[in-house]
Amino acid sequence: MEDWAAPVVVTTNVQLFESLFAARPSRCRKLHNIAGAVIVLDEAQCLPRKLLLPTLAMIDTLATHYGCTVVLCTATQPAFDSEELKQGGLPLAGRELAPDPKTLAQQLGRVRIVQGGEMDDTALLGALGGTAQGVVIVNSRKHALDLYRAGKAQGLEGLVHLTTRQYPAHRRAVIADIKARLAADRPCRLIATSLIEAGVDLDFPRGWRAEAGLDSVIQAAGRVNREGKRPLEASVLTVFSPAEYGAPAEVKNLAKAMWTTAAQFDDLLAPEAIRGWFREVYWQVGPDRLGSNMFDDLLFTGTSSRFQFRKVAADYRMIDSPMVPVIVAVEPKAQEEVAKLAVEKVPSGAIARALQPYVVQIPERAREILRANGKGDFHARDLRGDQFFVLGAPSLYHNDFGLWWEEAEYLSADQEIV
């Protein structure tokens, strides 16, 4: 796992690209094993736009100078080629692996995308209550939790919540339960965040998606009639504007580009609509916000030994949100691993890997509030430093919606009951 000396390596885009741009020997030591490799980048549309141009330059360098073959794998192919992305695009002409994408898109059509206009939570829950099985996907954990709790108060049958408030092992159990409900044709009304849009194999007859970029909308559509067993006309994803929850600025801009594209194309699932949306997004942000300002630091002419290794590594951060991990040790397996933290001979790396399925990422300030109010702390600090923060109040973790960290400084024992 640490030096990639294996025939097949499964990792993340973050680990791959941040290592390629890193300045520390420990991060770069594994890179020689990439030479001559076939690199499959799944969900290629998720490559961060703020670093798009240096990322594409690295892909081109790997293919041109290090014998790599790079496969961009996605249901929403970005406009990465040099014809569409004039500055810094890749020479992709004639390299499409799928035969006749336009005809394939028409033949494999399984869902219709319609506009729902502005919808508040009451309207959303009313629409969800009108179908025995359906999914609502919103843009924030807060909106998802508020909507779920409102649905519970209304007594909606078969209501399920899926969010990154839940640790990964818990989410896997929830997904297994959802699949069982769908297969048995039992009521299943799911309220989720965007985590459902990648790598989650679920098939609902109806869906609702809060406005976002077209790539996210199409990923959400992939959870409606996914297996193609229902009529196309009856399989609908409704894209709506949340009446009560504002989206982050970046999501607003992507949604604006999506509505612009929707006015130009009847079928948002068509390849030409997808490429049109990406063109609109890239045009809106401009090259400076696609990472073009990093190119001066990346160039090495050979006339000087001054190369900005540390600056490049600092600037190339695919994830810069201040989210930090909290270990939720409510299951016996997690509790066993937490107990090992006090055993000096057990390596921290082994414990960290074993605890990964029991971690929830929360804002750094929220974790500090938990610590300051006795709801959690770093375990075995003398041996492990500030690496393993363990939730100390299991009652803050709820089986149906996960970790409830908000306003932790005001919580007393009786207030922790929702």
Side-chain angles (χ1 to χ4, degrees):
M1 286 184 289
E2 295 177 359
D3 61 8
W4 290 358
V8 178
V9 175
V10 181
T11 187
T12 63
N13 286 339
V14 175
Q15 178 67 227
L16 171 65
F17 285 105
E18 288 196 0
S19 295
L20 285 163
F21 285 91
R24 295 169 54 193
S26 59
R27 296 291 303 275
C28 299
R29 192 172 292 122
K30 56 184 174 284
L31 295 180
H32 68 281
N33 283 315
I34 296 177
V38 175
I39 303 173
V40 180
L41 299 178
D42 196 17
E43 306 294 357
Q45 81 283 351
C46 292
L47 293 176
R49 293 177 186 92
K50 65 177 182 178
L51 299 171
L52 182 61
L53 295 180
T55 301
L56 296 183
M58 181 61 76
I59 291 173
D60 187 50
T61 298
L62 290 172
T64 302
H65 299 291
Y66 297 97
C68 295
T69 298
V70 183
V71 181
L72 303 174
C73 184
T74 172
T76 51
Q77 193 68 259
F80 284 168
D81 61 284
S82 52
E83 291 184 8
E84 305 287 352
L85 192 60
K86 302 297 182 183
Q87 180 181 350
L90 297 172
L92 298 181
R95 297 178 183 270
E96 173 61 62
L97 295 179
D100 195 1
K102 184 175 182 178
T103 300
L104 282 174
Q106 293 171 347
Q107 293 173 345
L108 295 173
R110 301 172 183 179
V111 60
R112 295 187 299 117
I113 298 176
V114 302
Q115 299 181 27
E118 186 175 89
M119 297 180 71
D120 59 17
D121 285 0
T122 301
L124 275 174
L125 292 173
L128 186 60
T131 180
Q133 296 180 338
V135 56
V136 176
I137 305 172
V138 294
N139 289 322
S140 72
R141 294 191 286 195
K142 183 181 187 308
H143 189 185
L145 178 57
D146 291 348
L147 190 61
Y148 172 77
R149 294 170 73 177
K152 291 288 284 187
Q154 289 186 16
L156 275 183
E157 186 179 2
L159 197 63
V160 185
H161 191 40
L162 190 65
T163 170
T164 50
R165 288 177 179 273
Q166 299 153 330
Y167 54 82
H170 185 186
R171 292 202 299 269
R172 286 196 291 269
V174 173
I175 291 170
D177 176 60
I178 294 170
K179 289 183 176 181
R181 290 169 181 259
L182 294 174
D185 204 25
R186 292 158 49 202
C188 184
R189 298 178 171 100
L190 173 63
I191 295 173
T193 58
S194 60
L195 72 90
I196 196 176
E197 294 172 356
V200 180
D201 183 12
L202 297 174
D203 183 2
F204 288 88
R206 288 291 308 275
W208 290 262
R209 178 59 166 97
E211 62 183 1
L214 183 57
D215 53 348
S216 293
V217 169
I218 291 177
Q219 293 290 338
R223 276 69 202 164
V224 177
N225 195 22
R226 184 176 181 85
E227 297 176 10
K229 296 179 179 179
R230 305 180 185 90
L232 173 62
E233 288 302 310
S235 305
V236 178
L237 178 77
T238 301
V239 182
F240 66 94
S241 300
E244 301 152 322
Y245 295 85
E250 182 179 357
V251 174
K252 285 183 179 178
N253 291 334
L254 297 177
K256 181 180 178 182
M258 187 268 296
W259 293 125
T260 299
T261 304
Q264 299 172 350
F265 297 91
D266 294 331
D267 182 10
L268 286 174
L269 293 165
E272 56 268 25
I274 297 170
R275 295 179 71 82
W277 178 78
F278 276 107
R279 283 197 302 269
E280 177 72 14
V281 170
Y282 297 156
W283 176 81
Q284 277 188 4
V285 301
D288 288 346
R289 292 173 62 187
L290 295 175
S292 66
N293 55 335
M294 286 187 64
F295 275 112
D296 288 342
D297 294 327
L298 289 171
L299 294 176
F300 180 66
T301 62
T303 59
S304 170
S305 60
R306 294 179 58 82
F307 186 85
Q308 303 296 323
F309 288 104
R310 290 188 179 90
K311 186 175 187 304
V312 168
D315 290 346
Y316 193 94
R317 304 293 298 176
M318 296 184 81
I319 299 177
D320 56 9
S321 59
M323 304 294 281
V324 292
V326 172
I327 298 164
V328 181
V330 295
E331 295 189 27
K333 173 62 177 174
Q335 293 168 356
E336 291 174 10
E337 295 300 326
V338 168
K340 294 178 183 178
L341 291 172
V343 182
E344 185 174 0
K345 65 180 181 180
V346 181
S348 293
I351 300 175
R353 284 189 284 270
L355 285 173
Q356 196 61 40
Y358 306 98
V359 166
V360 176
Q361 299 283 342
I362 72 172
E364 187 171 12
R365 179 179 176 276
R367 191 176 74 173
E368 178 56 26
I369 290 174
L370 289 175
R371 189 200 63 77
N373 289 274
K375 309 297 183 183
D377 208 342
F378 297 99
H379 271 226
R381 210 165 188 170
D382 54 334
L383 289 176
R384 316 291 178 177
D386 292 350
Q387 184 175 358
F388 297 94
F389 188 97
V390 181
L391 182 68
S395 57
L396 289 180
Y397 193 88
H398 298 266
N399 193 51
D400 50 355
F401 62 79
L403 182 59
W404 186 45
W405 67 80
E406 288 85 349
E407 301 180 335
E409 65 262 54
Y410 305 118
L411 297 180
S412 60
D414 60 325
Q415 290 174 318
E416 291 174 3
I417 301 173
V418 178

